[in-house]
Amino acid sequence: GQLNGKQGTLRRLFREVEDPRRPFLTDVGMFDIRQGERTVFGDPWKFKLMAENGQIDTTVIQKNIDHEYYDLIFCQRDLFSPEYETFEFGLPRVLVQRARRHYRLALFKYGLYVYGRRGAQPGSTSALDRP
């Protein structure tokens, strides 16, 4: 049923996010921590708070977004909605502004918004595409 489909998709997604050849950015802690040494922070709330208070330098992440380095950006809420900037578990504003310029919504499934590079050719975005 629906639940088994979602669990299977999440398992595939976890395998995908563990793949070092598929760099991504996310506001979902359970995905971020599965990146191993590539984990950005693991705690989206604390990351946003510290980044916006100048306690964390996000320059490298900003440049990665500008160069469309990340295959995908996964979010719990719509990155393009005005409410996203006040979402306490969202990405820091400086990253959101850049992501909006360089990424577009590719897919919404199982409550996740998945964004692909604006410069990329349309096609398969991730495990979320598959049934």
Side-chain angles (χ1 to χ4, degrees):
Q2 177 73 16
L3 185 61
N4 287 341
K6 183 175 183 176
Q7 287 174 338
T9 297
L10 284 176
R11 275 195 299 275
R12 285 195 304 271
L13 209 43
F14 283 147
R15 279 196 304 272
E16 196 170 309
V17 300
E18 289 165 359
D19 182 346
R21 297 165 302 185
R22 302 275 331 254
F24 71 93
L25 185 64
T26 185
D27 66 10
V28 182
M30 71 176 176
F31 289 144
D32 191 27
I33 60 172
R34 289 181 180 270
Q35 295 192 86
E37 63 190 29
R38 299 170 303 132
T39 298
V40 173
F41 204 77
D43 181 336
W45 178 80
K46 199 169 189 179
F47 175 61
K48 179 176 183 171
L49 184 70
M50 293 178 78
E52 294 194 348
N53 288 325
Q55 296 170 283
I56 293 176
D57 181 2
T58 61
T59 305
V60 171
I61 300 170
Q62 291 176 44
K63 286 180 181 173
N64 285 346
I65 293 170
D66 289 347
H67 293 107
E68 297 186 9
Y69 165 77
Y70 302 108
D71 275 359
L72 301 169
I73 297 178
F74 295 94
C75 294
Q76 301 171 65
R77 305 265 174 95
D78 181 6
L79 199 56
F80 289 87
S81 78
E83 294 80 35
Y84 187 86
E85 290 187 25
T86 58
F87 175 47
E88 59 188 5
F89 297 98
L91 295 169
R93 283 182 195 92
V94 67
L95 302 183
V96 170
Q97 291 160 358
R98 284 176 149 77
R100 286 173 174 169
R101 285 196 300 271
H102 293 282
Y103 288 80
R104 60 181 165 67
L105 183 64
L107 184 69
F108 173 73
K109 195 168 187 179
Y110 300 128
L112 283 176
Y113 293 85
V114 182
Y115 302 87
R117 299 177 183 104
R118 286 197 183 270
Q121 294 303 312
S124 177
T125 50
S126 80
L128 287 175
D129 283 344
R130 297 183 286 280

